[in-house]
Amino acid sequence: MSPGTVIVGTGQSGFEVAAALRAGGYSEAITLIGDEPHLPYQRPPLSKDFVLDKSGLEQLELRPPVFYHNHHIAVIVGRRVVAIDRSDRRVCLSDGTQKHYEFLVLAVGARNRKLRVPGADLEGVAYLRSLDEAVALKTLLHKAERVVVVGGGFVGLEVASAAKTMGKSVTVIEMQHRLLSRVVAPEVSVFFETLHSAKGVNVVCGGSVCEILEESGKVDGVLLAQGAVLPADVVVVGIGVEPNTELASAAELAIGNGIAVDKCLRTSDDAIFAIGDCAEFPSRFAGGRVRLESVQNGVEQAACVASAIAGKARPYTSVPWLWTDQFDVRLQMAGLSIGFEQCLIQGDLSIGRFSAFYFKAGRLIAVDSMNRPVDHVHARRLLEADAVISLEQVRNPSFELRLCGR
Ligand code: NAI
């Protein structure tokens, strides 16, 4: 009898492999192993509704416990996989047990990058990636008056929005000269800075944290390199993530900016796949190899790997997309704007209803839609179809994305 498939990581990507395998009729054993103490849950609400108490633990679970029982998916939580023995096709767990596999899927995700300044370990310094971190942050925020957020990326801005909505005094410190600089054009950064400022968030770009200040063993403020001190009861750090590559690296799998996989998401060992935040894969949307940190990427890569395990390998070609909710706006992003050369805005930045069109070598490569969901849907369709849309077309005031490619 085959030992079946072992999936390492109980995040959304790992969960989706198990679910997709069973949905596709896979009849061998499936074992899902994760070091978090919870059944698989959704992360996106953690920095939004969950912090705001609009959703509870039950709404976060991807499936209730009975699902795993009914689908014969063995879930091992609260334990780490500490080694992979590739020659014997087995994994070793932190409790000394072992599991054999025919196929192994590494969905091991990424971890928060740590702020390395004096005071960074004080009580009152929080990160946000896991459910346990979100619970701890929520408790801290309820007691706090003054919140300093380090990092003006997705986590930082979503937490700033939630904290401001809770009535706190909030400052965001971003190291770069604009918000969300990793992912959006300067025009879109300006929109977010204006939005947050209008809601009363103090935004400091080009700021560098040198120390977290202490009072009676707890956070009391943040000292910036420029000399300013920002009073704080809570400091939330969202300065990016690092892929968890150590397990794969120790097993001598190829590593790039993540666990390196081919177009069908296989690592340098044919029996092992890697997906989600930890995997670096070839993408026509990136014009090279890329590692993406989004739910869409994890879910669709999971489906692709489930097909491969079922003997129907296919290249992973999905259009990348993601969204962020801050205050009353939703930004939806389709494609990858990495290396864009021009950005054209259509719509009205001042009222927050616009789309940003990104071009490289004269071709449309990505569209960010602010409160324009119809544009987002059509952008995904057109990018998927590799439709040719020129700068001239978008410059035309009567241009409508929904009418393209029809
Ligand atoms: P991020 O990469 O989106 O943003 C980090 C920000 O911190 C960057 O703007 C960077 O310039 C800044 N930064 C780095 N070092 C700094 C320092 N020492 N001081 C001040 N600023 C500094 O990463 P983030 O926000 O931590 O998110 C982590 C992960 O969670 C990412 O994978 C992100 O995509 C994901 N996520 C996605 C969401 C969404 O899709 N809506 C929501 C929340 C998280």
Side-chain angles (χ1 to χ4, degrees):
M1 207 178 101
S2 160
T5 297
V6 170
I7 303 158
V8 189
T10 50
Q12 187 144 10
S13 313
F15 162 79
E16 296 285 350
V17 177
L21 279 172
R22 283 294 182 248
Y26 183 74
S27 56
E28 309 294 350
I30 301 176
T31 309
L32 193 50
I33 307 171
D35 57 3
E36 288 190 58
H38 310 284
L39 285 176
Y41 59 87
Q42 307 173 59
R43 289 193 207 284
L46 295 180
S47 50
K48 309 177 183 86
D49 284 358
F50 184 74
V51 174
L52 285 171
D53 276 334
K54 285 192 198 163
S55 71
L57 287 176
E58 320 71 52
Q59 284 89 39
L60 292 182
E61 272 186 352
L62 282 160
R63 293 289 188 284
V66 67
F67 172 86
Y68 303 93
H69 175 77
N70 290 348
H71 290 82
H72 305 288
I73 298 168
V75 190
I76 301 175
V77 294
R79 270 175 278 172
R80 289 182 71 74
V81 169
V82 291
I84 304 167
D85 180 340
R86 288 168 50 198
S87 56
D88 204 25
R89 290 201 181 188
R90 65 192 161 98
V91 293
C92 307
L93 279 68
S94 47
D95 61 357
T97 57
Q98 304 187 344
K99 286 270 165 214
H100 280 275
Y101 62 82
E102 182 183 3
F103 294 106
L104 178 65
V105 183
L106 301 176
V108 291
R111 58 177 174 269
N112 291 316
R113 187 172 293 137
K114 295 284 181 192
L115 183 66
R116 301 198 191 283
V117 297
D121 294 330
L122 283 170
E123 190 183 327
V125 177
Y127 289 80
L128 180 53
R129 184 166 180 88
S130 67
L131 175 54
D132 290 350
E133 285 169 332
V135 170
L137 174 63
K138 198 151 86 162
T139 309
L140 284 170
L141 283 179
H142 277 296
K143 288 188 283 186
E145 287 299 321
R146 308 157 308 169
V147 179
V148 171
V149 177
V150 184
F154 287 121
V155 162
L157 295 182
E158 290 185 4
V159 169
S161 157
K164 196 70 221 171
T165 304
M166 291 165 82
K168 313 296 174 187
S169 146
V170 183
T171 298
V172 173
I173 304 163
E174 165 58 48
M175 181 175 74
Q176 300 295 331
H177 289 280
R178 60 187 181 89
L179 299 174
L180 290 167
S181 65
R182 181 174 69 86
V183 279
V184 301
E187 294 88 333
V188 183
S189 296
V190 168
F191 169 80
F192 276 101
E193 187 165 346
T194 309
L195 170 75
H196 279 260
S197 302
K199 298 285 185 186
V201 174
N202 176 26
V203 179
V204 180
C205 287
S208 177
V209 174
C210 336
E211 187 175 346
I212 308 221
L213 305 172
E214 176 201 330
E215 176 68 45
S216 314
K218 290 186 187 164
V219 164
D220 191 49
V222 172
L223 173 65
L224 299 185
Q226 295 82 350
V229 171
L230 300 164
D233 309 310
V234 176
V235 174
V236 189
V237 182
I239 58 171
V241 296
E242 293 164 351
N244 292 321
T245 55
E246 291 75 5
L247 182 64
S249 172
E252 297 184 348
L253 296 172
I255 306 291
N257 173 29
I259 304 170
V261 293
D262 67 10
K263 61 182 191 300
C264 296
L265 310 174
R266 262 187 183 109
T267 65
S268 46
D269 179 329
D270 274 359
I272 307 179
F273 298 86
I275 59 168
D277 291 13
C278 68
E280 186 210 48
F281 63 98
S283 162
R284 78 172 161 92
F285 300 100
R289 299 184 63 81
V290 73
R291 190 178 62 75
L292 296 178
E293 299 160 4
S294 73
V295 170
Q296 169 277 327
N297 187 59
V299 169
E300 295 192 53
Q301 289 195 335
C304 185
V305 161
S307 293
I309 291 173
K312 287 173 258 161
R314 57 176 165 88
Y316 176 69
T317 57
S318 303
V319 179
W321 58 266
L322 57 82
W323 80 98
T324 176
D325 293 334
Q326 295 168 36
F327 297 108
D328 48 358
V329 305
R330 168 167 286 191
L331 176 71
Q332 294 169 292
M333 309 166 83
L336 294 176
S337 59
I338 306 165
F340 76 93
E341 289 153 359
Q342 286 100 7
C343 174
L344 294 182
I345 303 286
Q346 221 205 24
D348 193 343
L349 277 163
S350 68
I351 58 162
R353 257 183 74 79
F354 65 89
S355 289
F357 296 81
Y358 296 84
F359 291 85
K360 188 174 175 183
R363 296 279 302 256
L364 183 71
I365 55 167
V367 181
D368 293 347
S369 305
M370 179 67 72
N371 291 335
R372 298 228 298 198
V374 174
D375 272 6
H376 176 68
V377 169
H378 290 288
R380 276 162 54 178
R381 173 177 63 81
L382 292 163
L383 291 164
E384 177 87 60
D386 208 9
V388 177
I389 296 171
S390 67
L391 275 160
E392 290 63 40
Q393 275 174 283
V394 179
R395 276 202 188 106
N396 185 334
S398 61
F399 173 78
E400 282 193 57
L401 204 49
R402 71 186 174 88
L403 300 178
C404 292
R406 292 272 179 214

